[in-house]
Amino acid sequence: MGKKRILLKLGSNTLTRETNHISRGKIEDIGMQIASLNDEYEFIIVSSGAIAAAKQFVKLDNNDKDVFIKQALASIGQPHLMRIYNENFKDLGLHTSQCLLSYSDFEKEQTRKNIVNTINVLVKNNYIPIINENDTVATDEIKFGDNDKLAALTAVLLNVDILIIATNTDGFYTKESMLKGIPETITSVDDLKDLEKEIGDSKSSHGTGGMQSKIEAAAIAKNANIETWVVNGLNDDFILNAIANTIAFTKIV
């Protein structure tokens, strides 16, 4: 039996630990977990964080809510983000590679084949592909989604076993428990319509996603018989603990 393939989606809130800076400690934590799981799992990462990385180094004069300013920030921040990944993962004996994708890439059969072939070669040679949207030419994830949809489409294309979406909550909470102020995680769900009834319309503080975009991503994965886990990425060892089933998280089966 070969290794199981996990696509790990990391949003800006996870990578910054809900601060204004990319957390090297969090990226090291993720790298240590991947290294410890190397015998059983192979990883592909879809990572946000380019804009957050840029804001550590520059401040553009214009309104940073303008989509073109965000595109410029993404262009500045992407090399810094990859450098941080490379430096932290290299110390753990892990090799990284960068892949920038746009939604139009998924619409062309030959391009889809090229993506699959390239990433399979990288993984086979023990390189971890780190994927982000090509923000300088596309704006979908900047405007909405924080790479959730990109992660789901990539998971389907690469035929992964599990899509793990790291967020800043212990998965999805029941509406009733939220009203009581004592969040209770929905640990397993099959019908996404039931899940939609439980959520609000909140967005994350740094990212552009929210629970609705995660449901939409899970729906894409579910249609391809891929299980989605929504896990609190702010906690240390969140991948290890989710695999061991020792923490509360939502599994969409």
Side-chain angles (χ1 to χ4, degrees):
M1 293 289 289
K3 296 180 182 180
K4 284 191 174 181
R5 177 173 285 190
I6 291 176
L7 190 140
L8 174 63
K9 183 267 172 174
L10 301 167
S12 300
N13 272 313
T14 297
L15 293 174
T16 61
R17 281 183 164 155
E18 298 192 308
T19 68
N20 292 320
H21 302 287
I22 297 293
S23 169
R24 285 179 174 269
K26 172 46 64 179
I27 290 181
E28 183 182 22
D29 167 55
I30 292 162
M32 290 175 67
Q33 294 177 77
I34 290 173
S36 69
L37 292 165
N38 195 44
D39 290 339
E40 299 173 70
Y41 296 91
E42 57 189 27
F43 282 83
I44 295 147
I45 294 174
V46 170
S47 176
S48 302
I51 293 173
K55 288 181 177 179
Q56 293 179 221
F57 300 98
V58 300
K59 181 171 177 60
L60 300 184
D61 292 334
N62 296 290
N63 182 356
D64 66 3
K65 292 184 178 180
D66 187 298
V67 68
F68 300 115
I69 301 302
K70 288 185 175 181
Q71 283 182 298
L73 287 169
S75 177
I76 294 165
Q78 183 66 25
H80 290 295
L81 180 65
M82 286 304 303
R83 175 175 53 79
I84 295 168
Y85 269 114
N86 183 57
E87 289 173 355
N88 282 274
F89 278 32
K90 185 178 180 182
D91 290 342
L92 298 164
L94 301 173
H95 305 292
T96 60
S97 61
Q98 174 182 268
C99 301
L100 297 178
L101 301 179
S102 301
Y103 282 112
S104 59
D105 295 329
F106 293 90
E107 298 169 359
K108 305 166 189 172
E109 183 178 356
Q110 187 58 52
T111 307
R112 289 199 305 271
K113 288 180 181 177
N114 293 343
I115 294 167
V116 172
N117 291 338
T118 300
I119 289 179
N120 283 341
V121 168
L122 288 167
V123 172
K124 184 178 179 181
N125 287 276
N126 297 314
Y127 277 80
I128 299 170
I130 299 178
I131 299 166
N132 199 352
E133 187 184 22
N134 191 357
D135 289 327
T136 56
V137 298
T139 62
D140 299 82
E141 296 295 357
I142 283 179
K143 290 179 178 178
F144 178 75
D146 198 33
N147 278 336
D148 291 329
K149 183 179 177 183
L150 182 68
L153 291 171
T154 306
V156 173
L157 187 64
L158 299 174
N159 194 30
V160 307
D161 295 287
I162 306 168
L163 167 61
I164 297 179
I165 299 178
T167 186
N168 57 352
T169 64
D170 297 334
F172 290 89
Y173 299 136
T174 65
K175 185 184 291 185
E176 183 180 357
S177 70
M178 290 295 287
L179 291 172
K180 291 179 179 178
I182 309 173
E184 179 183 331
T185 299
I186 301 167
T187 56
S188 182
V189 64
D190 179 41
D191 192 338
L192 290 173
K193 290 182 181 178
D194 292 339
L195 199 55
E196 283 186 320
K197 295 174 185 176
E198 299 287 348
I199 68 165
D201 59 356
S202 62
K203 295 279 186 77
S204 58
S205 56
H206 280 282
T208 52
M211 286 311 189
Q212 182 59 44
S213 74
K214 287 163 182 55
I215 288 178
E216 291 167 5
I220 293 169
K222 186 176 172 64
N223 286 337
N225 294 315
I226 296 170
E227 201 163 85
T228 300
W229 298 0
V230 181
V231 184
N232 193 332
L234 298 179
N235 297 325
D236 289 343
D237 294 333
F238 67 94
I239 308 168
L240 294 171
N241 291 330
I243 289 172
N245 205 28
T246 57
I247 56 170
F249 68 98
T250 300
K251 186 180 290 187
I252 299 163
V253 298

